PDB file of all heavy atoms in Angstrom:
ATOM      1  N   GLU Q   1     -18.639   0.150   2.646  1.00 95.00           N
ATOM      2  CA  GLU Q   1     -18.970  -0.786   1.563  1.00 95.00           C
ATOM      3  C   GLU Q   1     -17.998  -1.967   1.652  1.00 95.00           C
ATOM      4  O   GLU Q   1     -16.880  -1.893   1.133  1.00 95.00           O
ATOM      5  CB  GLU Q   1     -18.832  -0.107   0.195  1.00 95.00           C
ATOM      6  CG  GLU Q   1     -19.754   1.062  -0.021  1.00 95.00           C
ATOM      7  CD  GLU Q   1     -21.193   0.631  -0.214  1.00 95.00           C
ATOM      8  OE1 GLU Q   1     -21.442  -0.524  -0.600  1.00 95.00           O
ATOM      9  OE2 GLU Q   1     -22.071   1.468   0.058  1.00 95.00           O
ATOM     10  N   PRO Q   2     -18.390  -3.057   2.310  1.00 96.00           N
ATOM     11  CA  PRO Q   2     -17.438  -4.152   2.561  1.00 96.00           C
ATOM     12  C   PRO Q   2     -16.749  -4.697   1.303  1.00 96.00           C
ATOM     13  O   PRO Q   2     -15.547  -4.960   1.329  1.00 96.00           O
ATOM     14  CB  PRO Q   2     -18.297  -5.232   3.229  1.00 96.00           C
ATOM     15  CG  PRO Q   2     -19.453  -4.488   3.801  1.00 96.00           C
ATOM     16  CD  PRO Q   2     -19.697  -3.330   2.892  1.00 96.00           C
ATOM     17  N   GLU Q   3     -17.501  -4.872   0.216  1.00 95.00           N
ATOM     18  CA  GLU Q   3     -16.874  -5.422  -0.984  1.00 95.00           C
ATOM     19  C   GLU Q   3     -15.798  -4.483  -1.522  1.00 95.00           C
ATOM     20  O   GLU Q   3     -14.700  -4.923  -1.873  1.00 95.00           O
ATOM     21  CB  GLU Q   3     -17.902  -5.706  -2.078  1.00 95.00           C
ATOM     22  CG  GLU Q   3     -17.242  -6.306  -3.318  1.00 95.00           C
ATOM     23  CD  GLU Q   3     -18.233  -6.644  -4.416  1.00 95.00           C
ATOM     24  OE1 GLU Q   3     -19.435  -6.430  -4.245  1.00 95.00           O
ATOM     25  OE2 GLU Q   3     -17.753  -7.126  -5.451  1.00 95.00           O
ATOM     26  N   ILE Q   4     -16.103  -3.203  -1.566  1.00 97.00           N
ATOM     27  CA  ILE Q   4     -15.128  -2.228  -2.043  1.00 97.00           C
ATOM     28  C   ILE Q   4     -13.927  -2.220  -1.108  1.00 97.00           C
ATOM     29  O   ILE Q   4     -12.773  -2.311  -1.550  1.00 97.00           O
ATOM     30  CB  ILE Q   4     -15.750  -0.807  -2.122  1.00 97.00           C
ATOM     31  CG1 ILE Q   4     -16.935  -0.778  -3.088  1.00 97.00           C
ATOM     32  CG2 ILE Q   4     -14.695   0.232  -2.472  1.00 97.00           C
ATOM     33  CD1 ILE Q   4     -16.604  -1.091  -4.517  1.00 97.00           C
ATOM     34  N   HIS Q   5     -14.196  -2.128   0.174  1.00 98.00           N
ATOM     35  CA  HIS Q   5     -13.125  -2.030   1.164  1.00 98.00           C
ATOM     36  C   HIS Q   5     -12.160  -3.218   1.075  1.00 98.00           C
ATOM     37  O   HIS Q   5     -10.949  -3.036   0.925  1.00 98.00           O
ATOM     38  CB  HIS Q   5     -13.728  -1.925   2.571  1.00 98.00           C
ATOM     39  CG  HIS Q   5     -12.703  -1.889   3.656  1.00 98.00           C
ATOM     40  ND1 HIS Q   5     -11.936  -0.782   3.919  1.00 98.00           N
ATOM     41  CD2 HIS Q   5     -12.307  -2.839   4.532  1.00 98.00           C
ATOM     42  CE1 HIS Q   5     -11.119  -1.042   4.911  1.00 98.00           C
ATOM     43  NE2 HIS Q   5     -11.323  -2.279   5.303  1.00 98.00           N
ATOM     44  N   HIS Q   6     -12.694  -4.426   1.160  1.00 98.00           N
ATOM     45  CA  HIS Q   6     -11.831  -5.610   1.233  1.00 98.00           C
ATOM     46  C   HIS Q   6     -11.148  -5.923  -0.099  1.00 98.00           C
ATOM     47  O   HIS Q   6      -9.955  -6.240  -0.126  1.00 98.00           O
ATOM     48  CB  HIS Q   6     -12.623  -6.813   1.746  1.00 98.00           C
ATOM     49  CG  HIS Q   6     -13.057  -6.644   3.160  1.00 98.00           C
ATOM     50  ND1 HIS Q   6     -12.186  -6.592   4.221  1.00 98.00           N
ATOM     51  CD2 HIS Q   6     -14.291  -6.473   3.693  1.00 98.00           C
ATOM     52  CE1 HIS Q   6     -12.850  -6.415   5.341  1.00 98.00           C
ATOM     53  NE2 HIS Q   6     -14.136  -6.336   5.053  1.00 98.00           N
ATOM     54  N   VAL Q   7     -11.883  -5.822  -1.187  1.00 98.00           N
ATOM     55  CA  VAL Q   7     -11.273  -6.131  -2.485  1.00 98.00           C
ATOM     56  C   VAL Q   7     -10.204  -5.088  -2.828  1.00 98.00           C
ATOM     57  O   VAL Q   7      -9.113  -5.438  -3.294  1.00 98.00           O
ATOM     58  CB  VAL Q   7     -12.332  -6.244  -3.610  1.00 98.00           C
ATOM     59  CG1 VAL Q   7     -11.665  -6.428  -4.965  1.00 98.00           C
ATOM     60  CG2 VAL Q   7     -13.277  -7.406  -3.325  1.00 98.00           C
ATOM     61  N   ALA Q   8     -10.481  -3.823  -2.584  1.00 98.00           N
ATOM     62  CA  ALA Q   8      -9.495  -2.783  -2.888  1.00 98.00           C
ATOM     63  C   ALA Q   8      -8.215  -2.996  -2.077  1.00 98.00           C
ATOM     64  O   ALA Q   8      -7.112  -2.801  -2.604  1.00 98.00           O
ATOM     65  CB  ALA Q   8     -10.077  -1.399  -2.628  1.00 98.00           C
ATOM     66  N   LEU Q   9      -8.344  -3.414  -0.824  1.00 98.00           N
ATOM     67  CA  LEU Q   9      -7.146  -3.698  -0.022  1.00 98.00           C
ATOM     68  C   LEU Q   9      -6.362  -4.870  -0.609  1.00 98.00           C
ATOM     69  O   LEU Q   9      -5.127  -4.837  -0.655  1.00 98.00           O
ATOM     70  CB  LEU Q   9      -7.518  -3.972   1.438  1.00 98.00           C
ATOM     71  CG  LEU Q   9      -7.969  -2.760   2.247  1.00 98.00           C
ATOM     72  CD1 LEU Q   9      -8.382  -3.193   3.650  1.00 98.00           C
ATOM     73  CD2 LEU Q   9      -6.876  -1.690   2.300  1.00 98.00           C
ATOM     74  N   ASP Q  10      -7.070  -5.911  -1.048  1.00 98.00           N
ATOM     75  CA  ASP Q  10      -6.387  -7.050  -1.678  1.00 98.00           C
ATOM     76  C   ASP Q  10      -5.663  -6.615  -2.952  1.00 98.00           C
ATOM     77  O   ASP Q  10      -4.510  -6.988  -3.183  1.00 98.00           O
ATOM     78  CB  ASP Q  10      -7.381  -8.161  -2.022  1.00 98.00           C
ATOM     79  CG  ASP Q  10      -7.886  -8.908  -0.794  1.00 98.00           C
ATOM     80  OD1 ASP Q  10      -7.283  -8.764   0.297  1.00 98.00           O
ATOM     81  OD2 ASP Q  10      -8.900  -9.622  -0.926  1.00 98.00           O
ATOM     82  N   LEU Q  11      -6.337  -5.818  -3.766  1.00 98.00           N
ATOM     83  CA  LEU Q  11      -5.734  -5.356  -5.022  1.00 98.00           C
ATOM     84  C   LEU Q  11      -4.544  -4.437  -4.759  1.00 98.00           C
ATOM     85  O   LEU Q  11      -3.556  -4.455  -5.514  1.00 98.00           O
ATOM     86  CB  LEU Q  11      -6.774  -4.637  -5.885  1.00 98.00           C
ATOM     87  CG  LEU Q  11      -7.976  -5.469  -6.342  1.00 98.00           C
ATOM     88  CD1 LEU Q  11      -8.914  -4.626  -7.190  1.00 98.00           C
ATOM     89  CD2 LEU Q  11      -7.551  -6.725  -7.067  1.00 98.00           C
ATOM     90  N   ALA Q  12      -4.613  -3.648  -3.701  1.00 98.00           N
ATOM     91  CA  ALA Q  12      -3.479  -2.797  -3.328  1.00 98.00           C
ATOM     92  C   ALA Q  12      -2.264  -3.660  -2.983  1.00 98.00           C
ATOM     93  O   ALA Q  12      -1.129  -3.318  -3.336  1.00 98.00           O
ATOM     94  CB  ALA Q  12      -3.847  -1.896  -2.150  1.00 98.00           C
ATOM     95  N   GLY Q  13      -2.516  -4.779  -2.336  1.00 98.00           N
ATOM     96  CA  GLY Q  13      -1.426  -5.710  -2.020  1.00 98.00           C
ATOM     97  C   GLY Q  13      -0.752  -6.241  -3.270  1.00 98.00           C
ATOM     98  O   GLY Q  13       0.471  -6.400  -3.311  1.00 98.00           O
ATOM     99  N   TRP Q  14      -1.544  -6.498  -4.306  1.00 98.00           N
ATOM    100  CA  TRP Q  14      -0.959  -6.951  -5.574  1.00 98.00           C
ATOM    101  C   TRP Q  14      -0.025  -5.879  -6.135  1.00 98.00           C
ATOM    102  O   TRP Q  14       1.078  -6.186  -6.591  1.00 98.00           O
ATOM    103  CB  TRP Q  14      -2.042  -7.246  -6.601  1.00 98.00           C
ATOM    104  CG  TRP Q  14      -2.958  -8.391  -6.278  1.00 98.00           C
ATOM    105  CD1 TRP Q  14      -2.903  -9.226  -5.196  1.00 98.00           C
ATOM    106  CD2 TRP Q  14      -4.068  -8.815  -7.058  1.00 98.00           C
ATOM    107  NE1 TRP Q  14      -3.935 -10.144  -5.265  1.00 98.00           N
ATOM    108  CE2 TRP Q  14      -4.657  -9.916  -6.401  1.00 98.00           C
ATOM    109  CE3 TRP Q  14      -4.634  -8.368  -8.245  1.00 98.00           C
ATOM    110  CZ2 TRP Q  14      -5.772 -10.575  -6.882  1.00 98.00           C
ATOM    111  CZ3 TRP Q  14      -5.745  -9.022  -8.730  1.00 98.00           C
ATOM    112  CH2 TRP Q  14      -6.306 -10.120  -8.064  1.00 98.00           C
ATOM    113  N   SER Q  15      -0.467  -4.636  -6.112  1.00 98.00           N
ATOM    114  CA  SER Q  15       0.365  -3.561  -6.657  1.00 98.00           C
ATOM    115  C   SER Q  15       1.623  -3.354  -5.816  1.00 98.00           C
ATOM    116  O   SER Q  15       2.693  -3.084  -6.358  1.00 98.00           O
ATOM    117  CB  SER Q  15      -0.429  -2.259  -6.768  1.00 98.00           C
ATOM    118  OG  SER Q  15      -1.295  -2.321  -7.883  1.00 98.00           O
ATOM    119  N   ARG Q  16       1.508  -3.488  -4.505  1.00 98.00           N
ATOM    120  CA  ARG Q  16       2.708  -3.377  -3.661  1.00 98.00           C
ATOM    121  C   ARG Q  16       3.691  -4.498  -3.989  1.00 98.00           C
ATOM    122  O   ARG Q  16       4.903  -4.280  -4.049  1.00 98.00           O
ATOM    123  CB  ARG Q  16       2.333  -3.399  -2.182  1.00 98.00           C
ATOM    124  CG  ARG Q  16       1.817  -2.070  -1.674  1.00 98.00           C
ATOM    125  CD  ARG Q  16       1.700  -2.043  -0.152  1.00 98.00           C
ATOM    126  NE  ARG Q  16       0.736  -3.013   0.347  1.00 98.00           N
ATOM    127  CZ  ARG Q  16      -0.580  -2.810   0.395  1.00 98.00           C
ATOM    128  NH1 ARG Q  16      -1.086  -1.678  -0.020  1.00 98.00           N
ATOM    129  NH2 ARG Q  16      -1.378  -3.736   0.866  1.00 98.00           N
ATOM    130  N   GLU Q  17       3.162  -5.703  -4.211  1.00 98.00           N
ATOM    131  CA  GLU Q  17       4.035  -6.824  -4.586  1.00 98.00           C
ATOM    132  C   GLU Q  17       4.701  -6.553  -5.934  1.00 98.00           C
ATOM    133  O   GLU Q  17       5.900  -6.800  -6.106  1.00 98.00           O
ATOM    134  CB  GLU Q  17       3.238  -8.123  -4.653  1.00 98.00           C
ATOM    135  CG  GLU Q  17       4.087  -9.314  -5.087  1.00 98.00           C
ATOM    136  CD  GLU Q  17       3.271 -10.571  -5.318  1.00 98.00           C
ATOM    137  OE1 GLU Q  17       2.169 -10.699  -4.761  1.00 98.00           O
ATOM    138  OE2 GLU Q  17       3.752 -11.419  -6.093  1.00 98.00           O
ATOM    139  N   HIS Q  18       3.940  -6.026  -6.886  1.00 98.00           N
ATOM    140  CA  HIS Q  18       4.509  -5.686  -8.197  1.00 98.00           C
ATOM    141  C   HIS Q  18       5.635  -4.665  -8.040  1.00 98.00           C
ATOM    142  O   HIS Q  18       6.699  -4.807  -8.660  1.00 98.00           O
ATOM    143  CB  HIS Q  18       3.447  -5.114  -9.132  1.00 98.00           C
ATOM    144  CG  HIS Q  18       2.395  -6.094  -9.516  1.00 98.00           C
ATOM    145  ND1 HIS Q  18       1.266  -5.708 -10.197  1.00 98.00           N
ATOM    146  CD2 HIS Q  18       2.274  -7.422  -9.318  1.00 98.00           C
ATOM    147  CE1 HIS Q  18       0.506  -6.768 -10.410  1.00 98.00           C
ATOM    148  NE2 HIS Q  18       1.091  -7.815  -9.878  1.00 98.00           N
ATOM    149  N   ALA Q  19       5.400  -3.641  -7.220  1.00 97.00           N
ATOM    150  CA  ALA Q  19       6.410  -2.603  -7.011  1.00 97.00           C
ATOM    151  C   ALA Q  19       7.677  -3.206  -6.406  1.00 97.00           C
ATOM    152  O   ALA Q  19       8.792  -2.851  -6.809  1.00 97.00           O
ATOM    153  CB  ALA Q  19       5.861  -1.483  -6.124  1.00 97.00           C
ATOM    154  N   GLN Q  20       7.507  -4.119  -5.468  1.00 96.00           N
ATOM    155  CA  GLN Q  20       8.677  -4.759  -4.855  1.00 96.00           C
ATOM    156  C   GLN Q  20       9.433  -5.605  -5.880  1.00 96.00           C
ATOM    157  O   GLN Q  20      10.662  -5.557  -5.948  1.00 96.00           O
ATOM    158  CB  GLN Q  20       8.258  -5.629  -3.665  1.00 96.00           C
ATOM    159  CG  GLN Q  20       9.422  -6.290  -2.963  1.00 96.00           C
ATOM    160  CD  GLN Q  20      10.416  -5.286  -2.436  1.00 96.00           C
ATOM    161  OE1 GLN Q  20      10.045  -4.368  -1.705  1.00 96.00           O
ATOM    162  NE2 GLN Q  20      11.691  -5.424  -2.800  1.00 96.00           N
ATOM    163  N   ARG Q  21       8.719  -6.358  -6.678  1.00 97.00           N
ATOM    164  CA  ARG Q  21       9.373  -7.178  -7.699  1.00 97.00           C
ATOM    165  C   ARG Q  21      10.075  -6.314  -8.739  1.00 97.00           C
ATOM    166  O   ARG Q  21      11.164  -6.648  -9.201  1.00 97.00           O
ATOM    167  CB  ARG Q  21       8.347  -8.108  -8.350  1.00 97.00           C
ATOM    168  CG  ARG Q  21       7.848  -9.184  -7.382  1.00 97.00           C
ATOM    169  CD  ARG Q  21       6.911 -10.147  -8.020  1.00 97.00           C
ATOM    170  NE  ARG Q  21       7.609 -10.917  -9.047  1.00 97.00           N
ATOM    171  CZ  ARG Q  21       6.996 -11.735  -9.896  1.00 97.00           C
ATOM    172  NH1 ARG Q  21       5.685 -11.895  -9.825  1.00 97.00           N
ATOM    173  NH2 ARG Q  21       7.678 -12.390 -10.805  1.00 97.00           N
ATOM    174  N   LEU Q  22       9.459  -5.185  -9.093  1.00 97.00           N
ATOM    175  CA  LEU Q  22      10.105  -4.250 -10.025  1.00 97.00           C
ATOM    176  C   LEU Q  22      11.377  -3.676  -9.414  1.00 97.00           C
ATOM    177  O   LEU Q  22      12.395  -3.549 -10.101  1.00 97.00           O
ATOM    178  CB  LEU Q  22       9.143  -3.123 -10.397  1.00 97.00           C
ATOM    179  CG  LEU Q  22       8.053  -3.506 -11.385  1.00 97.00           C
ATOM    180  CD1 LEU Q  22       6.879  -2.531 -11.296  1.00 97.00           C
ATOM    181  CD2 LEU Q  22       8.615  -3.561 -12.799  1.00 97.00           C
ATOM    182  N   SER Q  23      11.323  -3.344  -8.135  1.00 96.00           N
ATOM    183  CA  SER Q  23      12.500  -2.815  -7.454  1.00 96.00           C
ATOM    184  C   SER Q  23      13.631  -3.841  -7.437  1.00 96.00           C
ATOM    185  O   SER Q  23      14.795  -3.509  -7.707  1.00 96.00           O
ATOM    186  CB  SER Q  23      12.131  -2.407  -6.028  1.00 96.00           C
ATOM    187  OG  SER Q  23      13.224  -1.830  -5.374  1.00 96.00           O
ATOM    188  N   ASP Q  24      13.290  -5.086  -7.135  1.00 95.00           N
ATOM    189  CA  ASP Q  24      14.298  -6.154  -7.127  1.00 95.00           C
ATOM    190  C   ASP Q  24      14.917  -6.339  -8.504  1.00 95.00           C
ATOM    191  O   ASP Q  24      16.135  -6.490  -8.640  1.00 95.00           O
ATOM    192  CB  ASP Q  24      13.682  -7.477  -6.655  1.00 95.00           C
ATOM    193  CG  ASP Q  24      13.224  -7.429  -5.202  1.00 95.00           C
ATOM    194  OD1 ASP Q  24      13.632  -6.508  -4.457  1.00 95.00           O
ATOM    195  OD2 ASP Q  24      12.426  -8.318  -4.818  1.00 95.00           O
TER     196      ASP Q  24
END
C-alpha cells in the first residue's frame, strides 16, 4: 500500500526527530 508505506515512514521520521530533541 504505497500511501501507507511512504506516509508512515515520513511520520516515523518525525517521531525519531522528537525523540532526539527530547534527548538533547
Side-chain angles (χ1 to χ4, degrees):
E1 298 288 337
E3 181 178 0
I4 299 297
H5 177 75
H6 294 294
V7 174
L9 288 177
D10 287 346
L11 298 180
W14 295 357
S15 284
R16 281 191 297 278
E17 178 187 337
H18 294 171
Q20 182 59 54
R21 292 183 65 189
L22 284 159
S23 183
D24 295 344

